[in-house]
Amino acid sequence: MKLSYKLYLFQPNSENEKSLGDIIILHGLFGSSKNWVTVAKFLSNFGSVYTVDQRNHGDSPHATEHSIRLMSEDLEEFILDHQIKNPILFGHSMGGLVAMYFDFTHPGVLNALVVQDIAPRSYPFAYDQEIQSMSFPLEGFTSRADIDTEMAKFLPDTFIRQFLQMSLERLDSGEYRWKLNVAGLNQARRVFDHPFPEKISSDTNTLFILGGSSDYITDSDKTLIQEIFSRLTMESILGGGHYIHYTHQAEYLGILKNWFQSKISNH
């Protein structure tokens, strides 16, 4: 599948700085490349950055099948099409699972791996409210405010509604539609069940950034991560949840800056 993407070209801070290599950012469930503009611009100081829309999200094609394995295959096709050598792969949530899957099944290919707030294990599909809030017909709605009011009946969390509405598009006709394949994602409820091959390990230089108060990470997850990744840096943001790139941006970008600069000094 040919994925839609945005490219942020390498913008070195000084003339003699060399690129660390191409960086690919993979968003989470219900997200898109639009959620990663700030981070992508920041990371373009270290290399050119591709923000990808995964299948059934953003401007990429819709498909009936949706799995971590298939998204990893889409990514492999993307890397080959763009002739990217040894990319730095960066994934949040679902995107983190895809990034880890790619790393586990392509040992030695990645320059480095960054995973945000997800562990290499199964997760339940706990998104009924999100799906319901996007499943009512949009015909007759003339404003985002009216759609938001209707969504709130299913999904009280304002932050998550605003996040979802980044994928709400107004057509030239004035009608609204979801860019997300809502029905397809609703059918893919096992997407996070045992997403990986049986034997998993990684020697890739890896950074995990975790939300200190996130529902997605337990103490046993941290132990699991340490067992699987042999070249690991793990950072937690105190009080942070699942969307630390947005809610704790300054601290988050500081962690990325330190880690990428340490890669430059080792370069």
Side-chain angles (χ1 to χ4, degrees):
M1 177 179 287
K2 303 293 180 203
L3 300 176
S4 176
Y5 69 97
K6 302 277 187 299
L7 173 59
Y8 301 80
L9 291 171
F10 177 45
Q11 306 282 347
N13 287 316
S14 62
E15 278 178 29
N16 54 1
E17 272 183 41
K18 293 234 182 333
S19 165
L20 285 177
D22 292 336
I23 302 163
I24 302 172
I25 298 180
L26 301 174
H27 61 78
L29 184 66
F30 307 130
S32 75
S33 56
K34 276 171 79 171
N35 311 135
W36 291 92
V37 175
T38 304
V39 175
K41 285 179 177 171
F42 178 81
L43 290 178
S44 68
N45 291 152
F46 301 100
S48 291
V49 182
Y50 295 85
T51 55
V52 173
D53 288 339
Q54 302 196 80
R55 61 171 53 209
N56 294 318
H57 292 73
D59 292 318
S60 283
H62 290 185
T64 49
E65 288 187 285
H66 189 85
S67 71
I68 301 300
R69 178 182 60 80
L70 286 170
M71 285 182 276
S72 175
E73 289 175 9
D74 295 342
L75 173 65
E76 182 172 20
E77 186 179 337
F78 183 85
I79 289 169
L80 289 170
D81 282 352
H82 294 270
Q83 300 179 326
I84 300 169
K85 300 278 184 275
N86 305 110
I88 297 169
L89 202 47
F90 186 126
H92 171 229
S93 200
M94 178 183 78
L97 294 174
V98 175
M100 287 187 280
Y101 185 103
F102 185 89
D103 184 39
F104 297 148
T105 54
H106 299 76
V109 169
L110 296 182
N111 177 340
L113 175 66
V114 182
V115 178
Q116 180 182 328
D117 207 59
I118 201 80
R121 63 166 170 92
S122 291
Y123 281 86
F125 189 89
Y127 306 98
D128 285 337
Q129 287 187 320
E130 286 86 341
I131 293 285
Q132 286 177 321
S133 77
M134 295 185 286
S135 293
F136 59 84
L138 293 177
E139 289 84 26
F141 283 94
T142 53
S143 75
R144 285 177 170 268
D146 290 347
I147 292 172
D148 183 63
T149 302
E150 187 66 22
M151 287 179 75
K153 295 175 185 174
F154 307 96
L155 183 63
D157 188 322
T158 306
F159 176 82
I160 300 293
R161 287 203 313 277
Q162 288 173 343
F163 165 66
L164 295 178
Q165 285 163 22
M166 289 184 81
S167 294
L168 183 64
E169 180 179 45
R170 188 170 192 172
L171 303 172
D172 292 339
S173 63
E175 291 190 317
Y176 287 90
R177 73 167 188 120
W178 290 106
K179 287 187 168 191
L180 295 161
N181 180 2
V182 178
L185 295 172
N186 188 34
Q187 296 296 313
R189 287 172 169 263
R190 300 196 55 192
V191 62
F192 306 129
D193 282 3
H194 302 290
F196 300 122
E198 265 185 51
K199 286 195 169 45
I200 54 174
S201 66
S202 172
D203 299 323
T204 302
N205 188 357
T206 302
L207 169 67
F208 270 77
I209 312 182
L210 309 175
S213 303
S214 169
D215 299 338
Y216 286 74
I217 300 291
T218 64
D219 287 341
S220 62
D221 287 335
K222 292 177 187 173
T223 307
L224 177 67
I225 290 164
Q226 286 165 336
E227 286 169 358
I228 289 171
F229 293 91
S230 64
R231 296 172 65 202
L232 173 67
T233 305
M234 189 156 48
E235 301 278 1
S236 269
I237 294 181
L238 200 65
H242 198 49
Y243 297 91
I244 35 179
H245 59 293
Y246 183 79
T247 58
H248 294 65
Q249 194 167 79
E251 200 176 338
Y252 177 88
L253 294 179
I255 289 170
L256 286 180
K257 183 179 182 180
N258 289 342
W259 190 72
F260 274 89
Q261 283 183 334
S262 76
K263 282 185 65 62
I264 289 172
S265 60
N266 298 332
H267 217 44

